Amino acid sequence: MSTVKQTAGVLLLGALATLGLASDAEAQQSDQPRDTITVGYLGLERDEEWEPLSVLDPVIDDEGVQGARLAIDDNNAAGQFLGQEFVFVEVIMPREGDVEEGLQELLDQGAEWIVSGLPREGLEALMEIPALEDRVVFNAAAPDNVLRGEACHPNLFHTTPSRRMLADALAQFLGYKQWDRWALVFGNTDEDRLLAEALGEAAQRFGQEVVGEKMWPHDPMSRRAEGGFHAIQREIPVFVQDFADHDVLVIADENDYFGEYFPYQTWLPRPVAGTQGLKATAWHRAHESWGGVQLQRRFEEQADRWMTPRDFAAWLAVRSLGESSARTDSVARDEVLNYMLSDEFELAGYLGLPVSFRTWNHQLRQPILITGPRMVASVSPQEGYLHPRTPLDSLGADEGESQCRF
């Protein structure tokens, strides 16, 4: 036998031996009892009446839950070496479904920690159900400031950013660019009014000025009866022409009803920012820095689509549990929770800085991406916006101003 063949044979035997040892180790691990954490996801079916404004945007039926599924796999990849196992159960309710019934279905399957994909009204109803007891709920969908303020709960944690955090992130970037005079257009939904209020407060906080604001008055679904491109390019310039001179046109259209029509149709040649154009978001499909491309690819391989901010929030929730249980070598609720709220807790969130929870309202402090449609333009907090604790706390309600009282 030649030396080359002998060497190849030795390498092959070594590989087989290694595989055998690995198989034996896996078999031994599988025979050992494991500490288990059961995580439940409670979400809503997609609104069948809603359609994306652009035909380029996919219709997503599994937003949020896919992020939780990926995080469960990530947790178990490390948990197998620690004698820990994460079990995932999910309930996706009809739009008019009963939240209490959905929760009970999760509890019947052993859920000890809950990830919520519900809007504000459903989440508030969930927190008042006696059967929830002291189980922790992670809010991965509702951006409402009040849930971090007057309506906060000691067992409610937020991994999706608040409207104030998003508004602050955008205001910091516009301040960095010295685009200090804003014209503001908002929709006729409650969500858009709340966002417009948050944007106006952020402008004031960071030394900018809203020189005028107007509500886009049309019915959201009338867009399908739109008269075409010529009608759009006639109507929008007239709608915004009476604004005072401004540096940027800011749009508040959370439901994506009308905002995408505004770029390139303004009366003055001005950039568009807010919920369309240049936007602040927790996650974006173009984000590749700090290992983000690795998370994107793993998610796309699992879900056959790109990750959305809601997917990312659910991923952060489940990964927070995984990180805390791994660091404490425990699945006991109090030990995991105490560590999650301690100064030692840090989670790598692919955003450049580790994320952690604020003790005063349980909001996850995190960097916010500032993006265009196909590229990340910046990340907030911006340079020069300092804070005695961490620059991340320059985004959102700080401890001294928080209305949350546990």
Side-chain angles (χ1 to χ4, degrees):
M1 183 182 296
S2 70
T3 303
V4 173
K5 290 183 178 178
Q6 288 177 348
T7 303
V10 170
L11 291 174
L12 178 59
L13 289 173
L16 290 174
T18 301
L19 288 173
L21 290 173
S23 298
D24 290 343
E26 290 177 1
Q28 291 174 5
Q29 288 175 357
S30 64
D31 292 338
Q32 294 175 354
R34 291 176 176 272
D35 295 326
T36 302
I37 290 183
T38 302
V39 182
Y41 181 91
L42 186 60
L44 289 181
E45 293 178 351
R46 181 179 65 85
D47 185 354
E48 294 296 334
E49 295 183 358
W50 181 88
E51 298 178 46
L53 188 59
S54 170
V55 294
L56 298 179
D57 293 331
V59 176
I60 300 176
D61 294 316
D62 53 2
E63 190 174 17
V65 69
Q66 286 284 9
R69 292 171 185 167
L70 181 63
I72 288 289
D73 291 343
D74 292 346
N75 287 356
N76 282 327
Q80 64 178 324
F81 301 106
L82 301 172
Q84 297 175 350
E85 181 179 11
F86 288 78
V87 177
F88 187 59
V89 295
E90 57 190 75
V91 172
I92 307 299
M93 304 187 306
R95 299 296 298 183
E96 304 301 325
D98 186 280
V99 175
E100 187 168 5
E101 291 180 2
L103 173 63
Q104 191 58 54
E105 189 174 342
L106 286 178
L107 299 183
D108 291 344
Q109 298 178 76
E112 302 155 326
W113 305 76
I114 309 295
V115 179
S116 168
L118 304 175
R120 172 185 169 181
E121 294 78 10
L123 180 56
E124 287 183 322
L126 173 64
M127 300 308 300
E128 298 300 326
I129 298 174
L132 182 65
E133 297 178 338
D134 63 350
R135 291 176 177 84
V136 169
V137 175
F138 292 95
N139 168 27
D144 302 81
N145 295 333
V146 68
L147 294 171
R148 289 87 169 160
E150 302 93 316
C152 67
H153 287 263
N155 58 330
L156 178 59
F157 288 66
H158 309 275
T159 53
T160 192
S162 65
R163 287 192 180 94
R164 172 166 174 178
M165 289 176 67
L166 297 173
D168 286 351
L170 181 64
Q172 284 191 11
F173 180 74
L174 296 181
Y176 174 82
K177 297 293 292 181
Q178 298 184 20
W179 296 346
D180 295 331
R181 292 172 59 82
W182 304 4
L184 177 62
V185 175
F186 59 96
N188 57 7
T189 67
D190 292 338
E191 296 93 338
D192 293 344
R193 294 184 186 96
L194 290 170
L195 180 57
E197 180 181 336
L199 287 165
E201 292 172 351
Q204 184 176 14
R205 250 189 317 274
F206 292 103
Q208 290 134 331
E209 179 185 4
V210 177
V211 300
E213 58 183 70
K214 296 179 72 173
M215 184 183 75
W216 183 252
H218 302 296
D219 181 75
M221 300 314 293
S222 67
R223 63 192 184 188
R224 295 304 178 191
E226 178 59 62
F229 304 111
H230 296 292
I232 294 170
Q233 67 187 53
R234 284 195 304 266
E235 183 174 9
I236 290 179
V238 172
F239 179 77
V240 299
Q241 69 178 348
D242 57 348
F243 279 130
D245 188 30
H246 51 277
D247 301 314
V248 58
L249 179 65
V250 179
I251 305 293
D253 174 25
E254 283 196 3
N255 295 292
D256 199 27
Y257 286 142
F258 66 90
E260 203 64 41
Y261 291 129
F262 275 72
Y264 317 112
Q265 304 290 358
T266 56
W267 179 259
L268 299 174
R270 298 292 186 265
V272 171
T275 50
Q276 282 76 26
L278 185 73
K279 61 190 297 185
T281 180
W283 193 256
H284 192 272
R285 58 180 175 167
H287 177 52
E288 296 182 343
S289 301
W290 305 298
V293 67
Q294 185 257 3
L295 180 62
Q296 299 272 26
R297 286 175 177 170
R298 289 193 295 111
F299 183 86
E300 290 173 5
E301 182 178 351
Q302 170 190 280
D304 198 28
R305 60 174 177 81
W306 58 71
M307 177 178 267
T308 70
R310 189 168 295 183
D311 293 313
F312 183 58
W315 182 86
L316 287 170
V318 179
R319 280 294 297 123
S320 295
L321 282 177
E323 181 71 12
S324 298
S325 61
R327 296 293 182 180
T328 58
D329 194 23
S330 173
V331 298
R333 176 192 179 277
D334 289 345
E335 289 189 48
V336 171
L337 201 54
N338 288 339
Y339 181 81
M340 198 182 303
L341 286 171
S342 72
D343 293 337
E344 287 75 29
F345 175 82
E346 289 184 341
L347 177 65
Y350 300 93
L351 293 170
L353 295 173
V355 302
S356 59
F357 287 98
R358 293 170 177 151
T359 55
W360 58 90
N361 63 1
H362 295 174
Q363 170 66 55
L364 190 76
R365 53 169 70 90
Q366 59 194 106
I368 301 295
L369 305 178
I370 308 298
T371 74
R374 298 178 61 198
M375 188 58 64
V376 176
S378 186
V379 182
S380 288
Q382 298 292 316
E383 295 180 10
Y385 292 93
L386 304 178
H387 189 278
R389 184 183 297 105
T390 166
L392 291 176
D393 281 344
S394 66
L395 306 177
D398 203 0
E399 185 172 11
E401 59 185 331
S402 174
Q403 299 300 309
C404 177
R405 299 291 182 269
F406 293 136

